[in-house]
Amino acid sequence: MATGRLPCPKCRTAMVGTRATGKTKTYRYYTCNKRLKYGVSACDLERINADALDQAVLDCVASFYGNQHQLIRDAVNAARKVYESSHDKVTAELKTVRSKLTAVTAKIDKYLDAFEADTFDADDDTVKERMRGHRLAQKQLQAREAELLEDLENDPTMPDAATLKQVNHNIRTIIKAGNPNQRKAVVETFLVKIKITGPGRMVPVFRVPQTPASTGAANTEGAEPGISDSAPLGVRVCSSLVGLTHQHTNRSVLVEGPEITIRPVGTRRLVAGGFR
């Protein structure tokens, strides 16, 4: 559930899901990947009880968007200040990028006009190299232009109460009635990472849903336009959730949730064949 979202606080290596078989049951853990590969001499962070953490994460995700509106509002307000302070800088860079794009496009057009007029040797290696350079520059400038336009056109906004209510309802529906893959998809959609702050203590970091301006509102069943009402519940609800969070990574609004606690793993260490 948390694999890929749980960095080791000691060495920053990703923690991964592991299993160990005891005398009567199988135990699931999240273990620092460096410790797993090279032993406790490389990283001595204790393993985390995966069953306990997964349940705590599901409980937190199920309640966050229904109960933590003020935390979400504070995060959006902070993101808006950053957006507003950088607006002039982004606008100026966009003007520069467009000027360079116009210039490099003109150079490409000049080469193409000369080629059509048969006034230069198209097999000349120097010409080929310069044309490749211009094409690469054009592609990079076009990509940057698109990024800057998206940053300017999509300022962070506070989701309205109806959106948060729908998100919370859909999340709780999947957690209650969905299959394990659907529950994992919900966590991956909304939970960016989990910060370990101490033994058995963690802070989840959530993504704030930002409804794209180009999409229509979800219908009352939680489906987006284009998703048939006859589709399975999990498909319709997951489609709605993904639509609400589809945004450029540069403008994702992140918010830390309340600290969660789980019982730390005991001091027994795993060795080949069992515990000691």
Side-chain angles (χ1 to χ4, degrees):
M1 189 76 70
T3 296
R5 286 164 173 73
L6 190 64
C8 172
K10 289 194 172 183
C11 67
R12 309 313 300 170
T13 302
M15 301 189 71
V16 297
T18 57
R19 295 176 183 270
T21 302
K23 292 182 178 180
T24 59
K25 64 179 291 187
T26 298
Y27 300 86
R28 294 177 56 246
Y29 300 101
Y30 288 110
T31 305
C32 171
N33 201 32
K34 182 179 285 188
R35 169 179 169 160
L36 187 65
K37 289 182 176 180
Y38 307 111
V40 294
S41 60
C43 182
D44 62 357
L45 183 77
E46 288 294 337
R47 292 161 294 145
I48 296 172
N49 185 320
D51 290 328
L53 178 57
D54 286 356
Q55 187 58 55
V57 165
L58 286 175
D59 292 343
C60 194
V61 172
S63 63
F64 180 78
Y65 295 96
N67 300 334
Q68 300 297 336
H69 292 192
Q70 188 57 53
L71 283 179
I72 295 173
R73 185 173 292 105
D74 291 344
V76 171
N77 288 340
R80 279 198 61 80
K81 288 181 180 179
V82 173
Y83 169 82
E84 290 167 357
S85 67
S86 64
H87 187 276
D88 290 345
K89 181 180 178 180
V90 173
T91 301
E93 184 182 352
L94 178 61
K95 183 178 180 180
T96 299
V97 166
R98 283 178 164 170
S99 177
K100 291 180 178 179
L101 183 57
T102 298
V104 76
T105 301
K107 291 178 182 179
I108 292 172
D109 289 342
K110 185 177 180 180
Y111 276 104
L112 293 177
D113 288 342
F115 173 75
E116 291 175 354
D118 199 22
T119 58
F120 76 87
D121 183 2
D123 294 324
D124 185 288
D125 289 339
T126 300
V127 172
K128 289 181 179 180
E129 185 63 29
R130 294 189 67 180
M131 191 64 169
R132 279 194 292 266
H134 292 327
R135 288 290 193 190
L136 177 60
Q138 183 187 51
K139 185 177 180 179
Q140 292 172 338
L141 288 167
Q142 288 172 336
R144 184 56 182 158
E145 180 187 36
E147 291 175 352
L148 293 169
L149 282 172
E150 187 164 4
D151 285 343
L152 288 174
E153 294 170 358
N154 297 291
D155 58 313
T157 58
M158 175 65 187
D160 58 33
T163 295
L164 290 176
K165 182 178 179 180
Q166 185 68 54
V167 167
N168 189 59
H169 170 75
N170 289 355
I171 290 173
R172 295 175 72 88
T173 297
I174 290 180
I175 290 176
K176 180 179 179 180
N179 61 44
N181 285 338
Q182 290 168 343
R183 295 189 187 101
K184 184 177 181 180
V186 166
V187 172
E188 291 175 346
T189 298
F190 289 99
L191 188 66
V192 178
K193 65 180 177 179
I194 303 170
K195 297 165 61 176
I196 300 174
T197 55
R201 305 200 316 273
M202 295 124 195
V203 174
V205 179
F206 294 94
R207 182 178 289 109
V208 176
Q210 299 278 291
T211 308
S214 61
T215 62
N219 65 29
T220 57
E221 293 297 322
E224 286 187 307
I227 303 295
S228 170
D229 287 342
S230 63
L233 174 64
V235 173
R236 288 186 280 120
V237 173
C238 283
S239 295
S240 178
L241 292 178
V242 170
L244 287 168
T245 57
H246 180 67
Q247 54 188 308
H248 192 279
T249 53
N250 286 343
R251 69 179 189 90
S252 292
V253 182
L254 307 182
V255 53
E256 291 189 357
E259 185 177 73
I260 58 179
T261 59
I262 62 173
R263 184 170 62 85
V265 173
T267 57
R268 293 181 301 169
R269 294 191 181 278
L270 177 65
V271 296
F275 291 100
R276 71 179 181 188

